Amino acid sequence: MPHTHRVAPGASIDLSKAPTRADGFHDDKNAARHEFRELREELVEWQRRLYAHGQHKLLIVFQAMDAGGKDGTTKKIMRGVNPQGVRVESFKVPSTRERAHDFLWRIHRVVPPAGYITVFNRSHYEDILVPRVHKLVPEEVWQARYRMINDFEAILAGTGTHILKFFLHISPEEQRRRFHERVHNPLKQWKFSVQDIEKARDWNDYMAAYEGVLAECSTAAAPWHVIPADQKWYRNLAVIRVILDRLRTINPEYPPHGYDPEEIDF
Ligand code: ATP
Ligand code: MG
């Protein structure tokens, strides 16, 4: 499978030119949904094997602007998997305790152990994006974090963790539509906060910060993918394709059971 949307190491991406819609990639919504459902069934089986095999680790990182679809993608893709072998970790504004440690402390304690898939809803990348955009620390401080993160991810990858990172790329117009929907839908109102609007005003600064992260931290061991995410059907398909491609390569097998079923005396 070609690595569509993967950011080559060192490549620089202009996010204002990177598509947020599937135009040119896939325009048949129903065919995409069908393919997605088939791939999800396959994912359920791979996850079962990964857990049974108990040796490989898979870390999936989602970053996006607010309403970019981190929760939705996680929910869609992970439907049907055995919750015992999957963890979702969300990272909020660091607590006082977390802030008393280095920025990777809270991250490292929740990376996937052997046999597990862990999904990061936001991640250590927030520690570059937020301080940079809101000028919370001097530039040298967030600049130095590119290398720290690459080193950290290299340690994880070098000790058996597969890492796949996704930036769910939506347009500001689509974000506005989703905010509007959240504000007016009683079932979604809880998802909106007034700070979301303030953050949306810093759109261009966030894009510049994301461009920095994509240019500096897409490595062979932990590649970034920029996913056109205005259309959920395309976003879900593009993400699950990348994940499945990796699971097929890992190819975890059920472990040998070490007994002869015929010999068991019930
Ligand atoms: P949703 O996308 O559903 O709104 P959320 O992930 O935005 O969920 P919130 O509680 O609304 O959850 O927001 C979390 C906030 O924490 C975000 O604004 C994010 O930028 C911020 N955050 C996360 N990690 C850090 C960090 N290391 N430093 C500063 N801010 C952070
Ligand atoms: Mg939020």
Side-chain angles (χ1 to χ4, degrees), residues 157-173:
T159 51
T161 305
H162 294 261
I163 307 173
L164 296 170
K165 302 180 292 197
F166 298 94
F167 173 58
L168 308 176
H169 187 27
I170 56 167
S171 63
E173 295 75 28

Side-chain angles (χ1 to χ4, degrees), residues 20 62-74 121-122 166-171 174-176 178-179 182 191 196 203 210 227-232 235-236 239:
T20 59
F62 288 126
Q63 283 288 159
M65 295 296 280
D66 285 305
K70 300 182 304 313
D71 301 19
T73 311
T74 305
N121 182 335
R122 303 189 190 272
F166 298 94
F167 173 58
L168 308 176
H169 187 27
I170 56 167
S171 63
E174 179 62 20
Q175 188 194 50
R176 212 165 303 131
R178 292 184 188 181
F179 280 167
R182 285 183 179 183
K191 280 195 144 222
D196 291 354
W203 188 273
Y210 269 112
I227 303 292
D230 280 356
Q231 298 144 299
K232 296 173 185 172
R235 172 198 78 196
N236 296 338
V239 171

Side-chain angles (χ1 to χ4, degrees), residues 13-17 65 129 132-135 167 169-173 175-176 197-212:
I13 302 261
D14 178 350
L15 285 173
S16 69
K17 297 207 174 73
M65 295 296 280
L129 302 166
R132 173 173 170 170
V133 171
H134 302 285
K135 302 189 169 53
F167 173 58
H169 187 27
I170 56 167
S171 63
E173 295 75 28
Q175 188 194 50
R176 212 165 303 131
I197 292 286
E198 285 162 27
K199 279 194 136 181
R201 291 202 186 100
D202 297 320
W203 188 273
N204 291 338
D205 293 341
Y206 268 102
M207 289 306 108
Y210 269 112
E211 284 168 358

Side-chain angles (χ1 to χ4, degrees), residues 91 95-111 124 127 152:
F91 298 97
S95 66
T96 312
R97 178 147 192 256
E98 287 168 342
R99 235 192 296 268
H101 290 272
D102 71 89
F103 75 100
L104 291 165
W105 178 77
R106 67 173 184 164
I107 308 291
H108 204 167
R109 9 180 7 226
V110 294
V111 297
H124 38 303
D127 291 282
F152 170 66

Side-chain angles (χ1 to χ4, degrees), residues 11-187:
S12 59
I13 302 261
D14 178 350
L15 285 173
S16 69
K17 297 207 174 73
T20 59
R21 300 178 63 81
D23 307 331
F25 293 113
H26 202 315
D27 48 23
D28 187 339
K29 195 165 163 169
N30 288 327
R33 288 213 172 104
H34 181 74
E35 186 188 340
F36 176 76
R37 277 193 295 270
E38 290 196 338
L39 292 179
R40 188 169 57 194
E41 276 180 36
E42 195 187 326
L43 173 72
V44 168
E45 173 59 15
W46 282 124
Q47 188 267 324
R48 228 181 257 145
R49 290 191 195 200
L50 191 89
Y51 187 70
H53 186 74
Q55 294 190 15
H56 301 284
K57 313 151 190 174
L58 176 60
L59 173 62
I60 298 168
V61 174
F62 288 126
Q63 283 288 159
M65 295 296 280
D66 285 305
K70 300 182 304 313
D71 301 19
T73 311
T74 305
K75 191 168 66 180
K76 274 281 183 198
I77 284 185
M78 292 299 160
R79 178 177 297 173
V81 298
N82 178 1
Q84 180 128 273
V86 175
R87 293 173 177 165
V88 180
E89 301 289 345
S90 309
F91 298 97
K92 310 285 183 187
V93 177
S95 66
T96 312
R97 178 147 192 256
E98 287 168 342
R99 235 192 296 268
H101 290 272
D102 71 89
F103 75 100
L104 291 165
W105 178 77
R106 67 173 184 164
I107 308 291
H108 204 167
R109 9 180 7 226
V110 294
V111 297
Y116 279 76
I117 299 177
T118 297
V119 177
F120 278 4
N121 182 335
R122 303 189 190 272
S123 64
H124 38 303
Y125 286 96
E126 294 287 328
D127 291 282
I128 293 180
L129 302 166
V130 178
R132 173 173 170 170
V133 171
H134 302 285
K135 302 189 169 53
L136 305 180
V137 296
E139 179 163 346
E140 312 84 82
V141 174
W142 58 258
Q143 281 274 4
R145 291 181 179 171
Y146 292 133
R147 222 199 60 168
M148 293 177 187
I149 286 178
N150 286 341
D151 288 348
F152 170 66
E153 291 180 352
I155 292 170
L156 295 182
T159 51
T161 305
H162 294 261
I163 307 173
L164 296 170
K165 302 180 292 197
F166 298 94
F167 173 58
L168 308 176
H169 187 27
I170 56 167
S171 63
E173 295 75 28
E174 179 62 20
Q175 188 194 50
R176 212 165 303 131
R177 256 194 300 282
R178 292 184 188 181
F179 280 167
H180 197 266
E181 156 79 6
R182 285 183 179 183
V183 168
H184 290 97
N185 179 343
L187 298 179

